[in-house]
Amino acid sequence: MLVTNGQPVQKTNPSSSSDWSDNSATKFCVMPWINQHVTTNGNIAPCCEYDGHIGALSDATLNEAWHSPQLREIRRKFVAGEEVKECWKCFDREASEGFSLRTQAKRDFPDWQARLLQATEPLNAAPKRAIALDLRFSNLCNFKCRSCWHGASSKWFRDAKAIGVTAGQKAEIKSFESIDEVVRQLGPDMDSLELVYFAGGEPLIMEEHYALLRILHDRRLTHVKLSYNTNLSVTKFAGQSIFDLWAKFEFVDVTASVDAAGARGGYLRSGFNWDTFVMNVHELRNKCPSAKLNFGITVSALNILTLTDLFHELENKCQAIPSEFELHSLQDPTHYRTQVLPPHLKRKARNKIEAYISEKTNVVDNAGDNSSFIVAVRGIVDYMNASDLSDKLPDFKFITDQLDKLRSENARIVLPELNPAFEKTPWWKKPWYALKHRLG
């Protein structure tokens, strides 16, 4: 029987495998049963896509949050097939792209997925502690990406203050007071970990990240899977090579974030240097050949028109293959979604992507065929066309212009393909264009 705050928790229906409806089994998410996410400001949630939190380190421990009524209620809703409104991001992506963190977790933890769906009492079938951790030690970062914000990047602080959207009173925000606090909270349960996911901020410049790797190694927990979202701009910290540390672990999964090549890449991800990125990718492949490398591409209004250019550059300069492209449609902030683009730019983006797909159809690389990639990239197009948010174009232009002034940058020069979106009176809204389309 589950015990919370020293009190037994009564079984809540539905709780047996016979109570799984087709809908609840189909919409089930394994994450609330196995994963614990800590945000840069110390909030605790079932995963990084959950829109909200169930507790905070300021008033609860990881263990208390894991056994909390709030998390149990989320599990109950999934078992009952009820809507979990805070999980909208996954279902929003799935509606168009077919993929999400929820479906990824299903693939990454098939044994837990099957075990829970077959459990007699699924509400009571969670492990004693989370077996997967998503830790954001702080927002410390050396980039300030256009699609990011101060809560995830300390570099954003000055710009965030200027436009009034700070996440705190100082540049760096921390979740844990120290690595000692992390170890104290995990305690002996660290031995049950199966995966630790590092993001930020930028984990490869965080002292706590390196300290935790050394602790895992010293405790002979090198079987724990290490997973990263990193800008891969730095490969050494205090004289310690990250590649030397990774070589001590059995499984390392690296998603290297890149949204564009060359000057476009530096504009979208301020601090990014294409040549450095390419050099570090080659070093990673050479020094950690067993590491799994993917290229994490956040697709937004800022880069969908040049998305295939990035594909070609990654193939040519990084020896990347399409199956290594991990695509994700930007959902927040809304004004940078691909859905804000006007119809003619959406058509242009779609046509370029379809031409690229034609190149890759029936091509086989060393990871197999490209069918999964083609489904994913078509899902990006479907997401773009799923909604018309062109009424957000004024916000798109306003924020872009504000950041351009603060950063001494110019979108109209670096991203000329988007110039039609910056017109004061867009030509697709002018009387002659509207009349033409009314007349067919």
Side-chain angles (χ1 to χ4, degrees):
M1 179 176 293
L2 181 67
V3 176
T4 302
N5 296 329
Q7 298 298 319
V9 176
Q10 296 301 316
K11 178 177 168 182
T12 305
N13 288 324
S15 62
S16 70
S17 56
S18 61
D19 291 317
W20 287 102
S21 66
D22 290 339
N23 181 61
S24 60
T26 301
K27 296 294 185 180
F28 174 72
C29 181
V30 70
M31 294 296 267
W33 275 263
I34 63 169
N35 187 71
Q36 199 162 38
H37 168 58
V38 179
T39 68
T40 58
N41 66 357
N43 286 337
I44 304 169
C47 74
C48 61
E49 296 285 34
Y50 186 82
D51 191 5
H53 59 276
I54 62 168
L57 292 174
S58 59
D59 53 29
T61 64
L62 292 175
N63 185 57
E64 288 168 344
W66 185 248
H67 295 290
S68 67
Q70 294 91 331
L71 184 56
R72 185 176 176 84
E73 175 62 8
I74 293 171
R75 294 170 181 158
R76 185 199 67 76
K77 286 184 176 180
F78 272 114
V79 173
E82 297 176 14
E83 179 184 9
V84 182
K85 294 180 179 179
E86 296 84 356
C87 296
W88 68 269
K89 287 186 178 181
C90 280
F91 295 110
D92 179 55
R93 283 191 66 201
E94 290 171 28
S96 298
E97 298 180 23
F99 302 97
S100 70
L101 180 59
R102 186 186 76 89
T103 60
Q104 179 183 326
K106 180 180 178 180
R107 295 192 303 269
D108 290 348
F109 298 94
D111 293 343
W112 275 102
Q113 177 87 6
R115 185 185 310 177
L116 291 167
L117 288 176
Q118 296 168 9
T120 302
E121 297 185 352
L123 287 183
N124 297 335
K128 177 184 176 183
R129 287 293 303 275
I131 56 97
L133 289 178
D134 174 356
L135 296 176
R136 315 293 168 98
F137 293 116
S138 75
N139 70 334
L140 183 65
C141 192
N142 53 349
F143 283 12
K144 48 179 179 179
C145 305
R146 289 276 170 155
S147 58
C148 196
W149 72 302
H150 176 223
S153 170
S154 56
K155 277 285 188 179
W156 250 91
F157 184 61
R158 184 181 67 87
D159 294 347
K161 282 187 70 175
I163 60 179
V165 289
T166 56
Q169 299 302 312
K170 55 184 180 179
E172 188 176 353
I173 302 168
K174 282 181 170 284
S175 54
F176 294 92
E177 293 182 3
S178 66
I179 188 63
D180 292 337
E181 176 64 14
V182 178
V183 174
R184 187 189 69 78
Q185 288 220 26
L186 293 178
D189 295 318
M190 186 180 293
D191 293 348
S192 64
L193 283 177
E194 295 182 15
L195 178 145
V196 181
Y197 175 65
F198 297 100
E202 170 48 48
L204 299 189
I205 64 172
M206 294 181 188
E207 181 180 357
E208 297 91 344
H209 154 258
Y210 289 89
L212 184 55
L213 290 196
R214 287 191 288 268
I215 290 168
L216 290 172
H217 177 263
D218 292 345
R219 292 194 179 189
R220 299 184 179 181
L221 299 176
T222 53
H223 63 279
V224 174
K225 296 179 180 180
L226 306 180
S227 185
Y228 289 83
N229 188 296
T230 169
N231 60 41
L232 205 61
S233 63
V234 176
T235 61
K236 289 184 178 180
F237 180 85
Q240 172 70 67
S241 166
I242 186 59
F243 302 129
D244 290 344
L245 276 175
W246 285 345
K248 300 177 186 294
F249 288 81
E250 296 175 19
F251 185 91
V252 179
D253 186 343
V254 180
T255 297
S257 298
V258 56
D259 295 341
R264 284 190 177 90
Y267 179 89
L268 268 66
R269 300 173 61 79
S270 181
F272 174 86
N273 181 282
W274 172 249
D275 292 336
T276 298
F277 180 81
V278 171
M279 179 182 68
N280 289 342
V281 165
H282 285 297
E283 190 178 5
L284 169 58
R285 290 195 189 278
N286 291 332
K287 293 187 175 180
C288 297
S290 63
K292 181 182 177 183
L293 173 64
N294 287 318
F295 297 91
I297 304 170
T298 299
V299 185
S300 69
L302 295 169
N303 69 342
I304 193 167
L305 285 160
T306 57
L307 186 60
T308 58
D309 299 336
L310 174 61
F311 294 162
H312 285 301
E313 286 295 308
L314 289 172
E315 290 169 342
N316 294 333
K317 300 294 176 62
C318 297
Q319 284 68 61
I321 54 178
S323 57
E324 293 177 328
F325 299 156
E326 189 175 290
L327 305 173
H328 183 282
S329 287
L330 179 73
Q331 293 169 297
D332 187 39
T334 305
H335 58 262
Y336 278 149
R337 288 191 188 189
T338 54
Q339 297 163 346
V340 308
L341 292 175
H344 72 289
L345 290 184
K346 286 184 176 181
R347 285 194 296 273
K348 186 175 181 180
R350 180 200 63 202
N351 292 341
K352 288 190 69 174
I353 290 171
E354 286 295 340
Y356 179 85
I357 288 174
S358 295
E359 293 177 20
K360 299 300 176 184
T361 301
N362 299 323
V363 173
V364 176
D365 58 37
N366 60 16
D369 64 55
N370 290 316
S371 57
S372 295
F373 164 75
I374 290 172
V375 169
V377 77
R378 282 199 168 127
I380 292 294
V381 174
D382 290 342
Y383 187 85
M384 174 182 68
N385 291 325
S387 297
D388 176 12
L389 297 181
S390 57
D391 62 321
K392 300 293 183 183
L393 270 175
D395 295 335
F396 167 86
K397 291 186 285 188
F398 178 74
I399 294 297
T400 301
D401 286 342
Q402 272 201 312
L403 292 177
D404 277 356
K405 291 177 182 177
L406 289 167
R407 301 179 181 184
S408 298
E409 297 176 340
N410 193 324
R412 291 159 179 80
I413 294 175
V414 183
L415 311 176
E417 63 277 3
L418 287 175
N419 282 347
F422 287 101
E423 292 185 15
K424 291 184 178 180
T425 306
W427 60 263
W428 66 90
K429 290 188 177 181
K430 291 179 180 178
W432 66 267
Y433 182 79
L435 178 61
K436 175 184 175 182
H437 280 259
R438 281 201 303 271
L439 296 177

